[in-house]
Amino acid sequence: MTTPDQAAVLVDPDEHRGGTGTARFVLKKVLEALISIVLVIVLFFFLFRMLPGDPVAAMTRDRVTSPQQIAELREKMGVDKPVFVQFGNYFWDLLHGDLGESRLLNNGRPVADMIGERLWPTILLVGSATLLAVVLGLWLGIRAAWRRDSFFDRSQTGIALTLWSVPQFWLGLMLLVATNGLFPSRGMHSPDAAPDVLSQTLDVLHHLVLPCVTLLAVFYAQYMLIMRSSLLGEMNADYLTTARAKGLRDDLVRRRHAVPNALLPTTTLVFMQFGSVLAGAVTVEAVFSWPGLGQLTYEALHGPDLPVLQGLFTVLASAVVLMNLLAELLYRVLDPRVRTS
Amino acid sequence: MGWFSVQFQQRAGRFARVGAVVAAATLAAIPLAVPAQAQQGKVLRVALTTGIDHLNPFTAALSASTQIGRFTFEFLTIPNAEKAEASPALAESWTPSPDKLTWTFKIRSGVKWSDGQPVTAKDAAFTFNRMLTDENARTANGNYVANFETVTAPDDTTLVIKTKAVQVNMNLLDVPIVPQHIWEPIKDLKAASTDTLAVAGVSDGPFQLTEYKPNEYVKFKANKDYWRGAPKVDELQLLVFKDTEAAVNALKQGEVDVINRLNPNQFTSLQGQQGITTNAAPGRRYDELAINFGVTDNANNPIGDGNPVLKDINVRKAITQAVDTQAIVDKVLKGLGQVGGGVVPAIYADYHWDPSDSEKVKFDLAAANTTLEQAGYKKGPDGVRTGPGGAKLELRLTGHANRSYDQGVAQYVTGWLKDIGITVKQDLVSDDELSDRTAVGKYDLAIGGYGTNPDPDYALSLHTCGARPAPDGKGGSTDTFFCDAAYDDLYKKQLTETDDAKRAGYVKQAQARLYSQFPTIVLDYQNALEAYRSDKFSAFTTQPQPKGAILEQTGYWGVYGATPAGTGGSADSGSGNTVLWIVIGAVVVVVLVGGGIALSRRGKTAEDRE
């Protein structure tokens, strides 16, 4: 059986010109992404310099400090130098992977280390929640669109929208109270878990359940609604009528013809969202004391520990840019129409 | 896309379904699989709601980190549990020379580091000398040695410290003593290796570090050879909570045994709960309403933008008469605090000062109105008074925007001052913005406060002329910008007075002088709010006694004196309803597996039919 899409792939006019078109496209997109990241770095640097607050005063607040100590700190942190010199140093260090040093949270520790140590817990949490949210969202979205205006559609859309609008920290706390100690309420590891690999893995999974479910509950709605609307858009397409006319079962028409086409916008969304979901985990990580980037952001905001915040925002913004780049590249692979146009 | 997807779906569809069922079943089974725990002995679990920066006692500056230093290292002296006064620890005794410039400490013998080496006066001398010679070693406690001239250990049990000028806190140097044989080879005290157990774990305090998972928890085992005797628990855990509500919930569910830093709402919600005892202890902090009386820098140049009307002591007096500190304690703190007097909180009873009946400026709106009337501030038709130049009495009130305490106080003060014909414009701001403004006198009224030490020197020093900033606005450590010859004289007298009772007298007179000039109104001393599982722990040693704090201490008494409830009463978390959960979990697994099989059957038949 041949769909119109397949025909397009087979006679892709781009193929004759070899890979140059594709290479130019990729190069252009990568360059754009790099420029965005540099702009983000410049913007953050000057934005953070405009915030009120003397960093040395913030560091020594509520602590007995002599004037000599304060002068020493001022010189060490370079805050007495002109701002463009500071930027030059910052950017040069950044090229070497140096994001500066923490001031309040972990005085003197490289920010890059602090972010590195928090990265994996966040990827585990956000990754598993996104994966489950995509699976659940797509599945519900497909069902809901196929049986548009049915009880299933209405109730599921209603539930998803309700959960989407609930504050994450509140939902997290409610889950904590409702599960009544069945799942641990903090962190990623229990100090009492046995040291063997199996117990440790189970322990991490056990800790993962509540934060993951909270994120999942809040995030699946967007995937569901996008899937639903894009499938609805495909439902009256001619090729579906053809497929039905061939006598295919409704189930198969949906799975083999409608869904693959409707998946395109959703794929883009998954990637674009992943970057912002990283940042969206802040409140959930705070409620469950999950030792990830979100929690670090929360702590750094409280200080405020500006070098840490600046490093975090730079990393998070770069993640969003990279994910958008990936989405654009992947879209080209997935949808031949983008390539030919 | 279409082609790829169809191929993929055909191949993977079946597997995906089976995979989904397996994944769901695994998720459901996790709670059943977990009880594989290496549980042993009596464990005290403490909820930690603030951050840890370092284990290295030289660089550990955050309060949770210094607390870890207290649990693991011994100090020369520590504030005792009864009255928070200097008491022997590593030093059995200490004697100042007549000029108070040379202090000789007699070091206890027989104390051992956790690696078996003896603790001697040389370790103490090394610790202080390292701080004198290495800038990084001064990160956390540098202020204690700023005034030191030499530190020597003539023999293993004698430590001699010479200071450049008289230093009052010599009998309470809050510096953990570290083992010389471990720390001497370490050249860079900022190296990450100094936060590892191999370095920071060699200690001589009541507890010894056994595991540190950054951002998650710290584990300690009891030091069975501790010179005061082994602690009553076998293990101590500090569990990191970033959300105090979650920590409160964990206490209710028995996941932690002790929690502190509760807010009044959380505290009252825990009162009367089965198996939980709450503890409201006198706090170490004073809250105040600072009044900008025309502040100056340390060269006596006026700085800031305070309303000039506040230079008139009568206006400041009227404001003081119009602020009902009792109402603030009752309404804003829900009764969980003490009414303010002097700047030394009531917890330090020996140095705390309360105005006598004749000194006290009582809350009396009518009297406040009279004070202003007599000073020549007449009420206009709109009820707002006007100053000598015809300007209306309008004051800005600033404070921390993120603290509900500041919000509450701002509301009450605004209302009271309205009643005496003064308009208040509230302008609560971020912490940074607030310290920027108060550091250079850009406020009329500011809600603030300071944490204090057992020694009153710090709390008093905040109000001396020398604490004011330099003309460039930097280098100040002042709270109120107060500069008064009589006060400074009393401050200097207490600094050099060797007789404790006489010194306390000067400390109280200084507070009385401050009170009489109205540069600030000490509103209250908030209680330290704590709660613990009384079904698992029968007693903790508080500081001070009888009514003191468990965790909010300068010392290790709370965790060291933790007594598990009953004999052999294991302190691990209850698993009473495990059976119920196993049944529920099993049902979920069966339903999921059954549903999955049914689904995949349907899928198969559909494909077959094609």
Side-chain angles (χ1 to χ4, degrees), chain A residues 6 52-53 61 63 105-107 117-118 180-181 185-186 188-189 191-192 206 255-256 289 299 334, chain B residues 1 3 9-10 34 38 45 53-54 139 215-216 219 237 240-242 253 255 432-433 436 610:
Chain A
Q6 270 172 283
R61 187 187 305 149
R63 276 172 58 195
L105 294 180
N106 217 326
N107 183 17
E117 131 192 319
R118 311 271 195 147
N180 193 27
S185 54
R186 54 145 289 283
M188 199 170 140
H189 298 92
D192 302 323
H206 195 210
R255 193 146 51 85
R256 295 209 178 147
S289 313
E299 288 171 8
L334 293 182
Chain B
M1 165 78 202
W3 168 82
Q9 283 216 340
Q10 276 180 341
V34 160
R45 296 182 179 86
D53 51 357
H54 295 286
T139 309
N215 322 314
E216 291 212 66
K219 257 167 92 169
Q237 297 176 354
V240 173
F241 281 87
K242 285 299 150 194
Q253 294 172 352
E255 214 178 316
D432 269 341
E433 177 75 25
D436 269 13
E610 187 189 358

Side-chain angles (χ1 to χ4, degrees), chain B residues 57-75:
Chain B
F58 288 113
T59 52
L62 297 183
S63 65
S65 316
T66 51
Q67 208 61 19
I68 290 173
R70 288 183 210 293
F71 297 164
T72 51
F73 289 98
E74 194 56 276
F75 295 63

Side-chain angles (χ1 to χ4, degrees), chain B residues 288-290 397-400 403 405-406 409-410 428 434 445-449:
Chain B
E288 65 179 341
L289 182 69
L397 170 61
T398 191
H400 304 84
R403 293 205 318 190
Y405 172 82
D406 292 37
V409 169
L428 303 186
L434 184 65
L445 303 172
I447 303 166

Side-chain angles (χ1 to χ4, degrees), chain B residues 393-426:
Chain B
L393 288 196
E394 189 178 277
L395 300 176
R396 296 159 300 161
L397 170 61
T398 191
H400 304 84
N402 58 355
R403 293 205 318 190
S404 58
Y405 172 82
D406 292 37
Q407 293 158 8
V409 169
Q411 284 305 326
Y412 278 103
V413 169
T414 306
W416 288 322
L417 293 193
K418 184 165 182 275
D419 288 347
I420 63 167
I422 298 176
T423 311
V424 170
K425 285 178 81 175
Q426 291 182 27

Side-chain angles (χ1 to χ4, degrees), chain A residues 248-249 251-252 255-256, chain B residues 17 599-610:
Chain A
L248 284 186
R249 237 175 58 100
D251 215 26
L252 280 176
R255 193 146 51 85
R256 295 209 178 147
Chain B
R17 274 187 184 149
L599 266 176
S600 88
R601 279 263 170 80
R602 237 186 75 202
K604 243 184 232 168
T605 50
E607 272 160 34
D608 291 345
R609 248 182 268 157
E610 187 189 358

Side-chain angles (χ1 to χ4, degrees), chain B residues 140-201:
Chain B
N141 302 310
N143 58 305
Y144 287 100
V145 300
N147 193 25
F148 281 18
E149 195 168 303
T150 58
V151 184
T152 50
D155 59 64
D156 277 359
T157 56
T158 313
L159 179 76
V160 181
I161 302 178
K162 285 198 167 84
T163 60
K164 295 173 200 157
V166 172
Q167 185 170 336
V168 282
N169 56 24
M170 284 303 291
N171 62 352
L172 265 181
L173 295 168
D174 201 11
V175 178
I177 303 302
V178 302
Q180 179 175 13
H181 64 280
I182 298 289
W183 290 87
E184 196 163 37
I186 295 170
K187 292 297 160 228
D188 179 12
L189 285 182
K190 295 192 111 178
S193 63
T194 58
D195 284 334
T196 59
L197 296 192
V199 175

